[in-house]
C-alpha cells in the first residue's frame, strides 16, 4: 500500500469520526468510542484492507499520549497543583501499586493465569487515563467541590510512570522465567525516571518561557510552533536520559502553560486542536488493530473481572491511599474511588507485552479493550449523576 493511500485513508477515517462527533455528544457517547468504532468497522478485512502491526500501533499510541498529556499540562494552573499534589501524588504512586496487588489477586482467583501474568495484567490497567479524564470532565463542563476534579486530573496525568515501569519490568520477567528483579533495582529505576523527567521538564520548560517572554516574536503563529518544538525536546530528551516521557510531557506543559505571557490564546487553540488530532489518530489506529471477530472469545470472561476492577480493586486502593487524609470528606473519597477512568493508556500499555511476544498477551489486549469500554460507559457515564447525588457539583454563580 502506497504512502498516499495510507494518508488519504487515515484522513478519511478522521473526517468520518469528526462528522459523527456531534451526534455522539447528543447521545451521550464519548468521542473516543466513536473514533475507535470507526477503526473497528472499516479496518481488518473491510474493503480488502487488513491492519495488524502491534509495534507501530504502540508507537503511534505512545506519541499521541505524549501530546495529550502535554496539552493537559498546558491547561493546568499551578494554583490547582498546589492544592492537589499531596492527594494526587499518593494516588498516582501508592494507588497504582495497591490497585495492581489487589486486582492481581482477583485475577489469580478468577482466571487460569499464573501469578506473574496476573501481576502484568493488573499493572496494565492500574492507572487512570489522562486523555479520558481531561476529555470527559471538559465535555461535561464539570467543576467539583473540594478540588475533586483537580485531584482526578493530577492523578491521571502523573500516575503513568509507576504503571509503565511495572509493565516493562513484568514484561521482561515474563519473557525470561528465570529472571528476578530486586526491589532496590525497581526503586532506583522508578526514582531515576521520575527525577530525570522532573529536572528535564522543568529546565526545558523554563528556558522556553524565558526565551518567549524576552524575545517578542512579531508573528504570533510562530509561538505554538516554538512550543511544539520545545515539547519534543523536553519529552524525548527526558526519554533519552532515562526519564519518564509522560511525566516530562506534563511538567513541561504546566511550566510553559503558566509561564508564557504573549500568544496564550493562539497557543491554546493550536494545542487543543493538536490534542484532538492525537486522540482521533490514536483511537482510530487502536480500533484498526483490534480484530472484532476475536473479541467475542474473551467477552464473557472479561465482564466479571472488569466489574471487580471498577467496584472492588479501585475503591479499596483509593480508600487505603486516603487513610492519611483525615480531613477529606467521605463523599470526596467515594467519588474518587468510583471514578477511575480508563482510556487508551491501558490499551497502549497492553501492546507492550503483546509486541514483545509475551504468551497470552493478545488475549490481555482484547480483555483490556472491554475493560476500557466498561469504564467509559459505567464510570464515564456516572461522573455527572454521582457528583450531583453526592452534592459535589459546583454550580455556576449565575445558577
Amino acid at each position: 500500500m502506497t504512502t498516499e493511500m495510507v494518508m488519504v485513508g487515515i484522513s478519511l477515517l478522521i473526517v468520518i469520526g469528526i462528522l459523527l462527533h456531534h451526534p455522539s455528544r447528543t447521545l451521550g457517547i464519548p468521542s473516543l468510542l466513536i473514533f475507535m468504532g470507526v477503526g473497528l468497522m472499516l479496518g481488518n478485512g473491510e474493503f480488502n484492507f487488513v491492519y495488524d502491526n502491534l509495534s507501530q500501533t504502540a508507537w503511534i499510541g505512545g506519541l499521541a499520549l505524549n501530546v495529550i498529556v502535554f496539552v493537559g499540562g498546558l491547561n493546568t494552573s499551578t494554583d490547582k497543583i498546589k492544592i492537589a499534589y499531596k492527594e494526587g501524588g499518593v494516588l498516582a504512586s501508592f494507588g497504582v501499586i495497591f490497585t495492581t496487588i489487589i486486582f492481581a489477586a482477583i485475577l489469580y482467583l478468577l482466571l487460569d493465569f499464573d501469578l506473574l501474568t496476573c501481576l502484568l495484567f493488573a499493572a496494565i490497567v492500574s492507572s487512570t487515563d489522562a486523555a479520558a479524564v481531561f476529555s470527559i470532565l471538559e465535555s461535561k463542563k464539570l467543576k467539583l467541590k473540594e478540588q475533586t476534579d483537580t485531584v482526578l486530573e493530577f492523578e491521571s496525568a502523573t500516575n503513568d510512570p509507576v504503571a509503565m515501569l511495572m509493565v516493562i519490568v513484568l514484561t521482561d520477567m515474563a519473557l525470561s522465567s528465570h529472571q528476578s528483579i530486586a526491589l532496590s533495582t525497581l526503586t532506583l529505576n522508578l526514582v531515576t525516571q521520575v527525577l530525570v523527567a522532573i529536572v528535564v521538564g522543568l529546565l526545558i520548560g523554563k528556558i522556553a518561557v524565558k526565551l518567549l517572554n524576552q524575545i517578542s516574536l512579531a508573528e504570533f503563529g510562530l509561538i505554538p510552533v516554538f512550543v511544539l518544538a520545545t515539547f519534543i525536546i523536553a519529552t524525548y530528551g527526558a526519554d533519552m536520559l532515562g526519564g519518564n516521557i509522560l511525566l516530562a510531557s506534563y511538567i513541561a506543559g504546566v511550566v510553559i502553560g503558566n509561564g508564557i505571557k504573549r500568544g496564550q490564546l493562539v497557543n491554546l487553540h493550536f494545542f487543543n486542536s493538536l490534542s484532538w488530532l492525537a486522540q482521533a489518530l490514536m483511537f482510530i489506529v487502536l480500533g484498526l488493530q483490534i480484530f472484532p471477530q476475536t473479541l467475542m472469545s474473551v467477552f464473557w470472561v472479561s465482564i466479571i473481572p472488569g466489574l471487580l476492577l471498577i467496584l472492588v480493586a479501585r475503591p479499596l486502593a483509593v480508600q487505603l491511599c486516603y487513610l492519611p487524609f483525615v480531613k477529606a470528606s467521605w463523599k470526596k473519597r467515594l467519588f474518587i474511588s468510583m471514578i477511575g477512568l480508563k482510556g487508551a493508556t491501558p490499551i497502549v500499555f497492553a501492546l507492550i507485552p503483546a509486541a514483545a511476544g509475551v504468551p497470552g498477551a493478545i488475549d490481555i489486549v482484547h480483555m483490556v479493550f472491554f475493560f476500557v469500554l466498561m469504564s467509559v460507559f459505567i464510570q464515564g457515564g456516572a461522573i455527572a449523576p454521582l457528583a450531583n447525588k453526592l452534592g459535589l457539583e459546583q454550580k455556576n454563580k449565575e445558577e
Side-chain angles (χ1 to χ4, degrees):
M1 185 175 290
T2 65
T3 302
E4 291 81 2
M5 291 178 65
V6 172
M7 296 293 289
V8 170
I10 291 294
S11 299
L12 282 173
L13 295 180
I14 292 174
V15 168
I16 293 170
I18 292 173
L19 292 177
L20 292 173
H21 173 65
H22 182 71
S24 73
R25 294 193 64 175
T26 304
L27 297 173
I29 301 173
S31 300
L32 61 90
L33 292 184
I34 294 298
F35 288 114
M36 191 176 290
V38 170
L40 278 169
M41 289 186 295
L42 300 182
N44 302 315
E46 298 294 333
F47 309 105
N48 295 319
F49 169 68
V50 175
Y51 174 85
D52 186 14
N53 191 324
L54 290 170
S55 299
Q56 183 170 286
T57 302
W59 184 84
I60 292 172
L63 176 62
L65 282 177
N66 294 336
V67 173
I68 293 164
V69 170
F70 177 73
V71 176
L74 285 176
N75 294 324
T76 302
S77 69
T78 51
D79 292 335
K80 288 185 175 181
I81 292 177
K82 290 175 183 177
I83 295 171
Y85 79 95
K86 291 182 180 179
E87 296 176 27
V90 172
L91 288 170
S93 53
F94 290 102
V96 171
I97 296 171
F98 292 153
T99 302
T100 298
I101 295 171
I102 295 168
F103 192 54
I106 292 172
L107 291 172
Y108 189 70
L109 294 173
L110 289 178
L111 303 178
D112 188 24
F113 287 160
D114 59 63
L115 182 58
L116 183 58
T117 303
C118 290
L119 284 168
L120 175 58
F121 195 162
I124 288 169
V125 296
S126 61
S127 64
T128 56
D129 185 80
V133 171
F134 287 137
S135 64
I136 289 182
L137 286 175
E138 175 62 27
S139 65
K140 295 183 181 294
K141 305 297 181 185
L142 270 182
K143 295 295 179 183
L144 304 177
K145 298 176 183 177
E146 302 183 48
Q147 301 294 331
T148 305
D149 50 341
T150 305
V151 172
L152 285 169
E153 290 175 350
F154 185 86
E155 176 201 6
S156 67
T158 58
N159 63 3
D160 290 320
V162 178
M164 182 182 289
L165 176 61
M166 289 196 296
V167 170
I168 293 172
V169 169
L170 290 167
T171 296
D172 291 339
M173 292 176 66
L175 290 172
S176 177
S177 58
H178 302 293
Q179 181 180 359
S180 61
I181 306 294
L183 181 60
S184 58
T185 304
L186 280 175
T187 304
L188 179 62
N189 198 336
L190 177 60
V191 171
T192 301
Q193 285 202 33
V194 172
L195 288 180
V196 171
I198 291 173
V199 171
V200 174
L202 280 173
L203 182 63
I204 300 300
K206 286 186 176 295
I207 291 174
V209 167
K210 189 174 182 64
L211 290 173
L212 280 174
N213 289 339
Q214 289 188 352
I215 302 171
S216 297
L217 294 173
E219 177 55 59
F220 268 37
L222 290 175
I223 293 176
V225 176
F226 181 88
V227 172
L228 177 61
T230 303
F231 150 69
I232 295 172
I233 294 170
T235 54
Y236 289 94
D239 188 44
M240 289 171 59
L241 295 173
N244 183 270
I245 192 168
L246 293 177
L247 183 58
S249 299
Y250 182 70
I251 291 172
V254 170
V255 173
I256 294 172
N258 287 274
I260 59 174
K261 297 176 181 178
R262 297 180 69 249
Q264 287 182 330
L265 190 59
V266 67
N267 201 56
L268 178 67
H269 289 321
F270 175 85
F271 279 99
N272 281 344
S273 298
L274 188 62
S275 178
W276 273 110
L277 176 61
Q279 290 186 62
L281 180 61
M282 175 173 60
F283 287 116
I284 285 174
V285 172
L286 288 175
L288 289 173
Q289 180 63 61
I290 302 295
F291 288 82
Q293 58 269 32
T294 61
L295 289 175
M296 295 311 297
S297 62
V298 297
F299 174 73
W300 293 110
V301 76
S302 303
I303 294 177
I304 293 179
L307 289 174
L308 290 176
L309 173 63
I310 294 171
L311 301 175
V312 178
R314 164 74 179 183
L316 278 178
V318 171
Q319 296 306 321
L320 288 172
C321 289
Y322 264 93
L323 289 177
F325 303 106
V326 293
K327 293 184 179 180
S329 70
W330 68 269
K331 294 180 179 180
K332 180 179 184 178
R333 298 178 190 217
L334 177 61
F335 185 86
I336 291 177
S337 69
M338 297 306 296
I339 306 299
L341 278 164
K342 311 300 177 189
T345 304
I347 303 177
V348 174
F349 284 175
L351 292 172
I352 294 174
V358 173
I362 296 297
D363 287 337
I364 292 178
V365 172
H366 293 140
M367 292 180 72
V368 168
F369 177 81
F370 281 120
F371 284 12
V372 170
L373 291 183
M374 293 171 69
S375 176
V376 169
F377 278 112
I378 296 175
Q379 294 174 305
I383 281 186
L386 185 59
N388 185 54
K389 186 73 175 178
L390 293 174
L392 285 174
E393 187 173 357
Q394 187 172 308
K395 304 293 184 182
N396 294 329
K397 292 181 179 180
E398 297 82 22
E399 298 176 1

